[in-house]
Each structure stands twice: as structure tokens, then as C-alpha cells.
Amino acid sequence: MTQTSSSTAPARGPVDHDVRDQIVAAATEHFSRYGYSKTTVSDLAKAIGFSKAYIYKFFESKQAIGEMICANCLAEIEADVCQAVSEATLPPDKLRRIFKVITEASLRLFFQDRKLFEIAASAATEDWQAVVEYDARMRQLLLDVLQEGRQSGDFERKTPLDETVTSIHLVMRPFRNPLLLQHSMEGSEEAPALLASLVLRSLSP
Amino acid sequence: MTQTSSSTAPARGPVDHDVRDQIVAAATEHFSRYGYSKTTVSDLAKAIGFSKAYIYKFFESKQAIGEMICANCLAEIEADVCQAVSEATLPPDKLRRIFKVITEASLRLFFQDRKLFEIAASAATEDWQAVVEYDARMRQLLLDVLQEGRQSGDFERKTPLDETVTSIHLVMRPFRNPLLLQHSMEGSEEAPALLASLVLRSLSP
């Protein structure tokens, strides 16, 4: 039912790629000011100064543009998290940073900087491809840190690894998913650190 | 700003008390069929067959009725949870039951049986007194189980008790709070058990 990024018209060359980027940048700006659901492709075309037909040459629907914006937004969060993890040496420290930075970056991207909440909420409600892939990559990052910690002897090895990953991924969900995060703002200062400590206690060998 | 149950007109005798209960029962039925936000006290009066003025003799506002319904609903969840806890002997088992039953009872009361989601959502968004008190009692129940487990040697005693309670209370939040629960339906079969196991690992001495 839902469109995936892969179903958008593929870029046909460096120039086409530039135009696509230009449309996405303008649309990001426009949506974050005027909202996603209320804006039509016609409104967007008018605001960017392109014809509607020209935009449709690059994106088959408004959702295809929304998906690209969403994917970019999630990529920014992911980059922040990966950067924070790479700056730590010990697996417990890496885990703490995942909790902290995923919350901070999500709050910033979804609610403050760009006000992209509306797109992020649609994406999360309808399980857009970009969200599914992002969740899978966040899960993989967690798995890597857990495996590293099991090898270094920092984390216990009795619980099946798959169960450990799934349950920690669940604990993080209210701070990763924008639909839950909107109702978790109040505790978003202390909660991630408290939860990271609880998770680390659950991992002690 | 928000009304609290204590601000409603107090019952003045056994008969008044009966009438209050009667209004609340009829309003519960009415709201769960027609919704809370769209119904006015006039609609309600018409449906129950009382005059609007008569209802106002017992409740100073629609929210006062909503608060009573909400308090009753939360009391049912709490009774289910307390019952399940009382049927267990070992503290770890009690903790597992809290996770399981709070999710099941909340899903049933907020979304299935009575469709009281709309009232529960208003209550959670606006921090109605009934919600604040319910949260405090659930926290206290958790504290009691933790203390019992620390005394029996089932749970570790190094982490400050207050931190342990706060963090476990946080882990449960997506299954206790209707605003988060509506977005946690998908995993509501397995998630509570997985999270209870993680929490129990974090409590191991």
C-alpha cells in the first residue's frame, strides 16, 4: 500500500540528481514551515518555482518526497549516534551514548530544528521503508555493541543474544519512535540515563 | 487549571451517593458509545433522562464526571494488578505479573471493553488527579515488591532503591500510559514478558 523510496523515479544522471536534491531541500524547508499534510504538490511547485509536471518527473508522489526527507532526517540521527559511539572505547560507555544521543538527536530533528514531526509521525504510523530500515540499522548497531561487550567480558553471555537485543531495543523505543517521543518529552532529560543504567545492570556478567 | 475529583460537589447522603453512581454509570455507557469530547452535559442529561440542572447538582462539569469514570477505570486496572500480585509468592513472579496484567488490563479497559480511550487520553494529557494518584500507587506497589525481594535476597541491594523504582516504573510506562499504549499495541503480546525478564536480570544480586 505505502510507497517506498525505491519506487520513485531513479535519478538519470548527475544533473537529475542535483534537481532531486534541490526539490527535497526546498520541500523540507516548505513542509517544516507549512506542514506536510496540508501542503499539496501544487503548493510545493509554486513555492519552489517549478512546474508541477516537472516535480512529477522526479518524484511520483508527495509521499515519495516525504520519504526522502524522512530518510535524510533519520540518516542525520543515525550519523549522530554512530559518531558518539565511535568516540567511546568501552562497550558500556557506547551503550550509554546510544541512549543519550538517540533521544537528543530525535528531539532536535523531529521537534525543534526542522519541525519534521508531521512527516516522522506519518512515517512511523505507516511503517515507511525508511523507518523499517532505520530501525533495523539501530538494532544492528546495538547488536554490534553487545557482541563487543560479550567478547570483552563487560556483558553477560547467558541470555540468548537475540533476546537481549530485542528487549533493549524495546526499552529504547519511547525515545526512538516520534509517536511515543512526543509523550516522553517531560522525562527526556533524565530518563535515557536511568534506563541505560538499568540496562547495564541487566548486562552485568 | 484542571478540575480534580475533590472539587466536585460532595455526596450529601446515601441517596445522593446513589444518584451520583447512577449518573456515572449512565455517562460511562454513553461516553463509550458516543465519545467523550463530542458529548455535552445537555446530550448526557437527555440520554439519561435527567435535567441538566439536576446533573449539575451532583457534578460541577463534564470533566468532573469524566474524572470519576477515569478513576473507576484505573481502580479496575489496579484491582486486577493487585489481585495478580497477591496470587504470587516470590517477588520475581510478582514483578512479572505486574508487567503482564497492567498491559492486559489497560488494553482491555482503554481500548476494548469500554472504549474509554478518549477519557483516558484526556486524563493522561492533562495530568488529572486520578492519574497522578494511580501512578503513585503503581509506583508504591513496585516499591513494595522490590523491598520484599531485597529482603528475601532475590534482588540486589546496591542500587539506591529510589533509582531502581523510578527506572522500572519508566520501563513500564509505554504499557501503563494510554497515550503510549495506543502505539505499543503491536508488541503488546511479547513485549511485557521480554521487558520483565530484562528488569529481573537487572535486579539479580
Side-chain angles (χ1 to χ4, degrees):
Chain A
M1 288 287 286
T2 57
Q3 305 290 339
T4 66
S5 335
S6 56
S7 68
T8 61
R12 271 147 290 179
V15 174
D16 280 4
H17 210 281
D18 285 355
V19 177
R20 280 174 67 85
D21 287 353
Q22 205 182 332
I23 292 171
V24 168
T28 305
E29 175 65 25
H30 194 80
F31 288 147
S32 48
R33 279 182 73 172
Y34 301 99
Y36 174 69
S37 62
K38 279 183 295 184
T39 305
T40 64
V41 173
S42 300
D43 297 336
L44 193 61
K46 218 173 284 172
I48 304 180
F50 284 165
S51 77
K52 195 172 144 184
Y54 191 66
I55 289 183
Y56 276 123
K57 267 184 67 180
F58 296 92
F59 294 95
E60 66 178 23
S61 64
K62 186 176 84 168
Q63 189 179 316
I65 306 175
E67 292 226 13
M68 193 66 84
I69 293 172
C70 176
N72 289 345
C73 176
L74 296 176
E76 276 194 61
I77 297 172
E78 195 183 339
D80 278 12
V81 174
C82 289
Q83 170 76 21
V85 166
S86 74
E87 284 166 9
T89 314
L90 301 174
D93 199 21
K94 290 184 181 181
L95 203 67
R96 282 196 187 283
R97 281 164 185 250
I98 298 180
F99 270 91
K100 180 178 153 67
V101 177
I102 211 166
T103 307
E104 288 173 355
S106 303
L107 282 171
R108 180 163 50 77
L109 269 294
F110 296 149
F111 300 95
Q112 293 157 28
D113 262 18
R114 306 268 183 83
K115 300 193 182 70
L116 293 178
F117 176 70
E118 217 188 323
I119 294 180
S122 298
T125 306
E126 297 161 17
D127 278 330
W128 289 4
Q129 191 61 25
V131 174
V132 174
E133 289 170 6
Y134 166 75
D135 261 11
R137 288 195 305 273
M138 284 295 113
R139 200 189 138 92
Q140 183 61 46
L141 177 68
L142 201 54
L143 181 74
D144 293 343
V145 172
L146 287 172
Q147 272 180 319
E148 196 189 322
R150 284 182 175 218
Q151 269 153 25
S152 67
D154 283 304
F155 300 156
E156 59 98 359
R157 297 174 210 190
K158 279 174 298 179
T159 315
L161 186 58
D162 191 60
E163 181 182 338
T164 316
V165 180
T166 304
S167 53
I168 301 174
H169 200 56
L170 263 172
V171 173
M172 269 181 203
R173 191 165 172 264
F175 302 92
R176 185 181 59 236
N177 183 309
L179 300 170
L180 281 82
L181 186 56
Q182 67 178 323
H183 303 298
S184 308
M185 308 282 246
E186 212 175 306
S188 65
E189 286 277 328
E190 309 82 23
L194 279 169
L195 291 171
S197 296
L198 181 146
V199 164
L200 285 173
R201 289 194 293 279
S202 81
L203 291 171
S204 75
Chain B
M1 288 283 288
T2 56
Q3 304 289 340
T4 66
S5 338
S6 56
S7 67
T8 60
R12 271 148 290 178
V15 174
D16 281 4
H17 210 279
D18 286 352
V19 177
R20 279 174 68 85
D21 287 351
Q22 205 182 333
I23 293 172
V24 167
T28 305
E29 175 65 24
H30 194 81
F31 288 148
S32 48
R33 279 181 73 171
Y34 302 100
Y36 173 70
S37 62
K38 279 183 295 182
T39 305
T40 64
V41 173
S42 301
D43 299 333
L44 194 60
K46 217 172 289 171
I48 304 180
F50 283 165
S51 77
K52 194 171 144 185
Y54 190 66
I55 291 184
Y56 276 123
K57 267 185 65 181
F58 297 91
F59 294 96
E60 65 178 21
S61 63
K62 183 175 85 168
Q63 187 177 318
I65 306 176
E67 293 227 11
M68 195 63 87
I69 295 173
C70 177
N72 289 345
C73 176
L74 296 177
E76 277 195 59
I77 298 172
E78 195 182 339
D80 278 12
V81 173
C82 289
Q83 169 75 22
V85 166
S86 74
E87 283 165 9
T89 314
L90 302 173
D93 198 21
K94 291 184 181 180
L95 202 67
R96 283 195 188 282
R97 282 164 184 250
I98 299 181
F99 271 90
K100 181 178 154 67
V101 178
I102 211 167
T103 306
E104 289 173 354
S106 303
L107 281 172
R108 180 163 51 77
L109 268 293
F110 296 150
F111 299 97
Q112 292 157 28
D113 263 16
R114 308 268 185 79
K115 298 193 182 70
L116 293 178
F117 176 70
E118 219 188 323
I119 294 180
S122 296
T125 307
E126 295 161 17
D127 279 330
W128 289 4
Q129 192 61 25
V131 174
V132 173
E133 288 170 6
Y134 166 76
D135 261 11
R137 288 194 306 271
M138 286 293 112
R139 201 190 137 91
Q140 183 60 46
L141 177 67
L142 200 56
L143 181 74
D144 293 343
V145 172
L146 287 172
Q147 272 179 319
E148 197 188 321
R150 284 181 174 217
Q151 269 153 24
S152 66
D154 284 303
F155 300 154
E156 60 98 359
R157 297 174 210 192
K158 279 174 299 179
T159 316
L161 187 58
D162 190 60
E163 182 182 338
T164 315
V165 180
T166 304
S167 54
I168 300 175
H169 200 58
L170 262 173
V171 172
M172 269 181 204
R173 191 166 173 264
F175 302 92
R176 186 179 58 235
N177 183 309
L179 301 170
L180 281 80
L181 187 57
Q182 66 178 323
H183 303 299
S184 308
M185 308 281 245
E186 213 177 307
S188 64
E189 286 278 325
E190 309 82 24
L194 279 168
L195 291 171
S197 296
L198 182 146
V199 164
L200 285 174
R201 289 195 293 279
S202 81
L203 291 171
S204 75

